[in-house]
Amino acid sequence: MNRFVAAERALRTAAPHQLLDAVRRVLTDQYAADSVELFLADYGLTVLQPVSVLPHTLQPVSVHNSPAGRAFGAQEAFVEALAGDRVDKVRAHLPVTVRGDRLGVLTVVLPGGEHADGCLGELAEIAQVLGHEVVVAERDTDLYLQARRRDRLTLAAEMQWQLLPGRSCARPEYELGAQLEPAYAIFGDNFDWSATADRLSLYVTNGMGEGIEASLLTNLAINALRNARRAGLPLADQAALADQAVYAHYRGRCYLSVLMLDFDLATGRVRAVDAGSPRLLRLRRGVVERVDFDAQLPLGMFEETDYVAQEFGAEPGDRLVFVSDGVYGVASPGGEAYGDIALARAIQSTRLLPAADVPRAVLRELSGHRGRPVADDDALVVCLDWRGR
């Protein structure tokens, strides 16, 4: 059995809460590692949180200005030499990512020189295997979800994060990235996506209300949409079924805005239902423009609303950015709304970033416009880079 197979087997057979112990043992035995640590990105995407604090207390590592953060952002291994009496050692930071969803970084100290060069590729693959096992293990242990918390989540935020598919994903046809703020106190905004061999479904939602009531409304609507989608219904019928489910429970007292899109991966044709306030801006050949649809009623506002899907085309190279009203409606201290012009500037200024980094960057610019760190309303940004086939 070669050493990579031994590492893979050790991870696949480890107890859910012992993945880090398992990878430590095998990297120490098979790769002569001195130390192994796993860091997971926190909910706000500001720091990498240590999963283990033994044998010494570890501090969170910045996503923005640290070697581990560099590996996380670039999604490439980053190796640094250790100074002092350990000049023959290096510290390798390896992205832990599952199908484009950035989970964190595996940091390994090992002998430098030819030894490090010879095993870096295998260590990068082991980090990917570890990522898959972490995702599976989260069904049976809270360890990794707890490690991601820099602060305490509100109950509403707990419900919203558990509802999400992830924060980023990648396929040959597209890359997706998304972020919610305030990350530890979000309550109504949400996003959802699902892909098959031929199609990508993407929903961006903006639920009314605050706190737990907004979270309950969003949970009902998202699960109704998923139920309809998994039944094979077309987009307009998905909206109608979810509309009925929300109205049956709230009788029009509460409703939810949603922008629903269904992408044909082969052709780039997109069917869309615009039922409320989320907006779509498109960056195409260096020009940012808003993509408008015929406005239709939010889900659950009235009984038995009919919805109609519209169509538009996505071209290879398009960047589509979706935002909730907690982004474009935010006022500056002087009362000026953020609006489409400021959004267009933010999209232009982040055009060289990968899709997974764009939402956080746009939200940082929004915070500067707002003039205070704490938002009054949920803010949601989703970025889709379309490559096509």
Side-chain angles (χ1 to χ4, degrees):
M1 185 189 305
N2 66 44
R3 59 186 184 178
F4 174 77
V5 173
E8 186 177 36
R9 178 170 296 180
L11 284 168
R12 296 198 187 283
T13 57
H17 61 283
Q18 293 181 328
L19 294 178
L20 181 54
D21 292 338
V23 77
R24 274 182 176 152
R25 283 194 303 270
V26 76
L27 294 191
T28 300
D29 294 343
Q30 303 290 337
Y31 293 86
D34 276 13
S35 67
V36 180
E37 298 295 343
L38 173 62
F39 296 86
L40 296 180
D42 85 306
Y43 287 100
L45 285 177
T46 58
V47 296
L48 296 166
Q49 294 273 111
V51 171
S52 171
V53 296
L54 297 175
H56 303 290
T57 300
L58 297 176
Q59 296 298 318
V61 175
S62 172
V63 166
H64 306 296
N65 54 9
S66 68
R70 179 171 173 175
F72 181 80
Q75 287 295 286
E76 294 179 354
F78 179 73
V79 179
E80 55 175 334
L82 296 181
D85 58 355
R86 304 177 67 189
V87 342
D88 60 332
K89 300 286 184 179
V90 298
R91 182 180 288 115
H93 305 280
L94 309 154
V96 178
T97 303
V98 180
R99 294 189 175 92
D101 192 12
R102 304 175 175 192
L103 303 184
V105 172
L106 181 67
T107 296
V108 184
V109 175
L110 68 162
E114 292 183 0
H115 178 83
D117 294 340
C119 64
L120 196 61
E122 289 183 8
L123 291 176
E125 291 188 44
I126 290 171
Q128 303 307 303
V129 175
L130 175 60
H132 282 267
E133 293 304 315
V134 166
V135 170
V136 174
E138 286 181 347
R139 299 181 305 178
D140 302 307
T141 179
D142 288 335
L143 176 65
Y144 309 104
L145 294 173
Q146 289 174 320
R148 291 173 57 190
R149 294 161 196 242
R150 189 179 188 184
D151 298 304
R152 186 179 183 276
L153 286 175
T154 65
L155 177 57
E158 184 86 51
M159 295 172 64
Q160 291 296 74
W161 283 107
Q162 288 296 305
L163 194 62
L164 298 177
R167 280 191 294 203
S168 54
C169 72
R171 276 185 50 170
E173 298 90 351
Y174 61 84
E175 287 189 13
L176 267 167
Q179 180 62 11
L180 299 167
E181 284 198 351
Y184 291 86
I186 195 78
F187 43 80
D189 288 4
N190 200 275
F191 56 87
D192 191 33
W193 57 63
S194 178
T196 66
D198 303 313
R199 313 200 73 80
L200 166 68
S201 298
L202 173 62
Y203 310 142
V204 181
T205 58
N206 182 11
M208 68 176 292
E210 297 182 358
I212 193 68
E213 292 302 322
S215 181
L216 289 169
L217 169 63
T218 301
N219 269 260
L220 173 61
I222 290 292
N223 279 291
L225 287 169
R226 288 174 174 172
N227 178 256
R229 182 184 73 220
R230 293 164 183 170
L233 299 181
L235 201 66
D237 291 341
Q238 293 175 31
L241 188 146
D243 170 73
Q244 292 171 18
V246 174
Y247 185 84
H249 187 76
Y250 290 101
R251 310 304 296 180
R253 298 187 309 275
C254 297
Y255 45 86
L256 179 133
S257 297
V258 59
L259 178 58
M260 306 169 57
L261 299 105
D262 179 66
F263 292 79
D264 186 316
L265 299 182
T267 66
R269 295 305 302 170
V270 188
R271 296 177 64 81
V273 171
D274 183 359
S277 58
R279 288 185 183 175
L280 167 59
L281 288 91
R282 177 177 59 207
L283 173 62
R284 175 179 287 175
R285 291 186 285 275
V287 177
V288 178
E289 58 185 350
R290 182 173 164 185
V291 180
D292 288 316
F293 305 101
D294 293 336
Q296 302 182 65
L297 293 173
L299 305 184
M301 180 175 280
F302 297 105
E303 188 173 11
E304 296 184 357
T305 303
D306 291 326
Y307 293 90
V308 178
Q310 298 174 256
E311 289 195 6
F312 71 99
E315 297 181 4
D318 281 357
R319 167 165 285 179
L320 307 178
V321 178
F322 308 83
V323 295
S324 66
D325 62 2
V327 176
Y328 63 78
V330 166
S332 69
E336 179 186 0
Y338 194 58
D340 288 350
I341 295 176
L343 262 174
R345 285 198 301 266
I347 293 170
Q348 286 282 15
S349 67
T350 58
R351 65 188 182 279
L352 299 180
L353 295 177
D357 289 340
V358 170
R360 181 64 189 161
V362 171
L363 289 169
R364 282 199 302 271
E365 294 203 20
L366 177 67
S367 179
H369 172 86
R370 187 169 54 230
R372 58 191 186 282
V374 180
D376 296 327
D377 190 12
D378 289 0
L380 162 64
V381 179
V382 178
C383 180
L384 170 65
D385 281 352
W386 182 259
R387 297 195 190 98
R389 285 185 181 165

